[in-house]
Amino acid sequence: MRHLASALLCSLLLPAAALASTSPSELDITNAFARPTPPGATNAGAYADIRVTGDPVTLVSARSPASEVVELHIMRMEGDTMVMRQVKHIDINQNEPLTMRPGGGYHLMLIGLEAPLTEGQTFPITLEFEAREDIDVEFEVAPMGDMSHSMPNA
Ligand SMILES: [Cu+2]
Protein backbone atom coordinates (compact mmCIF):
# COMPACT_ATOMS: atom_id res chain seq x y z
CA MET A 1 0.00 0.00 0.00
CA ARG A 2 2.86 2.38 0.78
CA HIS A 3 4.17 1.85 -2.70
CA LEU A 4 0.82 2.52 -4.30
CA ALA A 5 0.40 5.69 -2.30
CA SER A 6 3.75 7.10 -3.33
CA ALA A 7 3.19 6.12 -6.96
CA LEU A 8 -0.06 8.02 -6.92
CA LEU A 9 1.61 11.05 -5.36
CA CYS A 10 4.30 11.00 -8.04
CA SER A 11 1.77 10.86 -10.83
CA LEU A 12 0.00 13.88 -9.39
CA LEU A 13 3.26 15.83 -9.45
CA LEU A 14 4.15 14.86 -13.00
CA PRO A 15 3.23 17.07 -15.92
CA ALA A 16 0.45 15.68 -18.08
CA ALA A 17 2.89 14.68 -20.82
CA ALA A 18 4.59 12.22 -18.50
CA LEU A 19 1.40 10.23 -18.13
CA ALA A 20 1.67 9.30 -21.79
CA SER A 21 5.26 8.08 -21.35
CA THR A 22 5.88 4.53 -22.44
CA SER A 23 8.99 4.16 -20.25
CA PRO A 24 8.81 0.69 -18.73
CA SER A 25 10.63 1.48 -15.50
CA GLU A 26 8.91 2.96 -12.50
CA LEU A 27 10.56 5.34 -10.06
CA ASP A 28 9.77 5.52 -6.37
CA ILE A 29 11.24 8.58 -4.68
CA THR A 30 10.98 8.80 -0.90
CA ASN A 31 12.58 10.37 2.16
CA ALA A 32 13.39 13.64 0.38
CA PHE A 33 14.87 16.08 2.87
CA ALA A 34 17.46 18.76 3.60
CA ARG A 35 18.87 20.15 6.84
CA PRO A 36 18.15 23.64 8.13
CA THR A 37 20.96 26.03 7.18
CA PRO A 38 22.64 28.57 9.46
CA PRO A 39 22.12 32.27 8.64
CA GLY A 40 24.33 33.36 5.78
CA ALA A 41 24.84 29.87 4.38
CA THR A 42 24.92 29.88 0.60
CA ASN A 43 24.96 26.13 -0.06
CA ALA A 44 23.07 23.13 1.26
CA GLY A 45 22.90 19.39 0.63
CA ALA A 46 19.63 17.70 -0.24
CA TYR A 47 18.94 13.99 0.02
CA ALA A 48 16.43 11.39 -1.18
CA ASP A 49 16.00 7.69 -1.82
CA ILE A 50 15.37 6.72 -5.42
CA ARG A 51 14.27 3.20 -6.23
CA VAL A 52 13.69 1.96 -9.75
CA THR A 53 11.64 -0.99 -10.92
CA GLY A 54 12.49 -2.09 -14.44
CA ASP A 55 15.24 -0.69 -16.66
CA PRO A 56 18.07 1.34 -15.08
CA VAL A 57 17.72 5.12 -15.06
CA THR A 58 20.31 7.87 -15.08
CA LEU A 59 19.93 11.06 -13.09
CA VAL A 60 21.65 13.74 -15.16
CA SER A 61 20.81 17.02 -13.46
CA ALA A 62 18.51 18.84 -11.09
CA ARG A 63 17.11 22.31 -10.61
CA SER A 64 15.18 24.17 -7.94
CA PRO A 65 13.71 27.62 -7.29
CA ALA A 66 15.45 27.38 -3.88
CA SER A 67 18.92 27.99 -5.32
CA GLU A 68 20.73 29.31 -8.36
CA VAL A 69 21.93 25.86 -9.35
CA VAL A 70 21.65 22.29 -8.14
CA GLU A 71 24.63 20.04 -8.76
CA LEU A 72 25.00 16.28 -8.42
CA HIS A 73 27.76 15.60 -5.90
CA ILE A 74 29.58 12.74 -4.28
CA MET A 75 31.43 12.95 -0.99
CA ARG A 76 34.00 10.25 -0.37
CA MET A 77 37.34 9.47 1.19
CA GLU A 78 40.37 10.10 -1.02
CA GLY A 79 43.42 8.99 0.91
CA ASP A 80 42.60 10.19 4.41
CA THR A 81 40.64 13.24 3.34
CA MET A 82 36.89 13.52 2.79
CA VAL A 83 36.36 15.33 -0.50
CA MET A 84 33.27 16.48 -2.34
CA ARG A 85 33.15 16.38 -6.12
CA GLN A 86 30.60 17.12 -8.78
CA VAL A 87 29.54 14.15 -10.91
CA LYS A 88 27.99 14.27 -14.38
CA HIS A 89 25.35 11.66 -13.70
CA ILE A 90 24.18 9.04 -11.22
CA ASP A 91 23.13 5.62 -12.46
CA ILE A 92 20.38 3.84 -10.57
CA ASN A 93 19.29 0.29 -11.22
CA GLN A 94 16.85 -2.13 -9.72
CA ASN A 95 19.48 -3.87 -7.60
CA GLU A 96 21.20 -0.69 -6.45
CA PRO A 97 18.69 1.89 -5.25
CA LEU A 98 20.16 5.30 -4.59
CA THR A 99 20.20 6.21 -0.91
CA MET A 100 21.38 9.75 -0.25
CA ARG A 101 22.32 10.73 3.31
CA PRO A 102 24.36 13.48 4.95
CA GLY A 103 27.94 12.55 5.77
CA GLY A 104 29.00 10.69 2.63
CA GLY A 105 28.07 9.39 -0.79
CA TYR A 106 25.83 11.00 -3.36
CA HIS A 107 23.78 14.09 -2.66
CA LEU A 108 22.19 17.03 -4.40
CA MET A 109 24.03 20.30 -3.78
CA LEU A 110 22.01 23.48 -3.71
CA ILE A 111 24.40 26.28 -4.63
CA GLY A 112 23.47 29.93 -4.21
CA LEU A 113 20.51 29.54 -1.84
CA GLU A 114 17.78 32.11 -2.38
CA ALA A 115 17.03 32.03 1.36
CA PRO A 116 18.10 29.98 4.39
CA LEU A 117 16.38 26.60 4.70
CA THR A 118 14.25 26.60 7.81
CA GLU A 119 12.86 23.66 9.75
CA GLY A 120 9.44 22.51 8.61
CA GLN A 121 9.69 24.30 5.28
CA THR A 122 9.34 22.40 2.02
CA PHE A 123 10.76 23.23 -1.39
CA PRO A 124 10.69 21.52 -4.79
CA ILE A 125 13.61 20.06 -6.72
CA THR A 126 13.08 18.92 -10.28
CA LEU A 127 15.09 15.81 -11.08
CA GLU A 128 16.12 15.41 -14.70
CA PHE A 129 16.68 11.89 -16.00
CA GLU A 130 18.15 10.69 -19.24
CA ALA A 131 15.49 9.72 -21.78
CA ARG A 132 12.51 10.21 -19.52
CA GLU A 133 10.36 12.97 -18.12
CA ASP A 134 11.57 15.26 -15.34
CA ILE A 135 10.16 14.56 -11.90
CA ASP A 136 9.26 17.25 -9.37
CA VAL A 137 9.97 16.18 -5.81
CA GLU A 138 9.02 18.06 -2.66
CA PHE A 139 11.85 18.17 -0.09
CA GLU A 140 11.22 18.71 3.61
CA VAL A 141 13.63 20.65 5.79
CA ALA A 142 14.10 18.33 8.76
CA PRO A 143 16.18 18.98 11.90
CA MET A 144 19.39 17.13 12.72
CA GLY A 145 17.72 15.11 15.49
CA ASP A 146 15.07 13.61 13.26
CA MET A 147 15.90 9.91 13.59
CA SER A 148 14.02 8.88 10.48
CA HIS A 149 16.51 10.92 8.51
CA SER A 150 19.76 10.02 10.23
CA MET A 151 22.48 7.78 9.01
CA PRO A 152 22.45 4.27 10.45
CA ASN A 153 25.75 4.88 12.23
CA ALA A 154 25.41 8.60 12.93
CU1 LIG B 1 28.08 18.65 -2.21
Side-chain angles (χ1 to χ4, degrees):
M1 284 309 291
R2 254 184 80 90
H3 188 71
L4 284 175
S6 61
L8 178 63
L9 183 63
C10 285
S11 66
L12 291 173
L13 293 170
L14 287 170
L19 298 174
S21 167
T22 54
S23 177
S25 55
E26 187 188 325
L27 284 176
D28 188 23
I29 303 175
T30 54
N31 214 21
F33 71 101
R35 297 296 190 207
T37 56
T42 54
N43 301 340
Y47 313 89
D49 297 343
I50 305 178
R51 185 176 296 277
V52 60
T53 306
D55 293 339
V57 297
T58 303
L59 179 62
V60 291
S61 58
R63 61 181 192 271
S64 174
S67 67
E68 283 168 34
V69 293
V70 181
E71 293 182 350
L72 311 181
H73 276 195
I74 189 166
M75 188 156 72
R76 61 179 178 219
M77 293 300 289
E78 290 187 6
D80 52 7
T81 313
M82 190 69 110
V83 296
M84 186 161 73
R85 298 199 187 284
Q86 185 177 9
V87 296
K88 288 199 168 62
H89 54 81
I90 301 174
D91 297 316
I92 309 161
N93 67 57
Q94 193 162 303
N95 299 320
E96 290 175 88
L98 176 61
T99 303
M100 295 187 256
R101 291 291 180 277
Y106 289 115
H107 56 277
L108 303 167
M109 201 79 202
L110 299 158
I111 297 174
L113 285 174
E114 298 294 337
L117 301 179
T118 55
E119 185 180 331
Q121 173 200 352
T122 63
F123 62 94
I125 294 180
T126 301
L127 300 176
E128 300 170 18
F129 294 89
E130 193 173 272
R132 62 180 295 149
E133 299 289 335
D134 297 349
I135 300 179
D136 293 328
V137 180
E138 204 66 19
F139 283 69
E140 182 188 352
V141 182
M144 210 63 94
D146 185 338
M147 291 311 289
S148 67
H149 292 143
S150 20
M151 290 183 67
N153 56 356

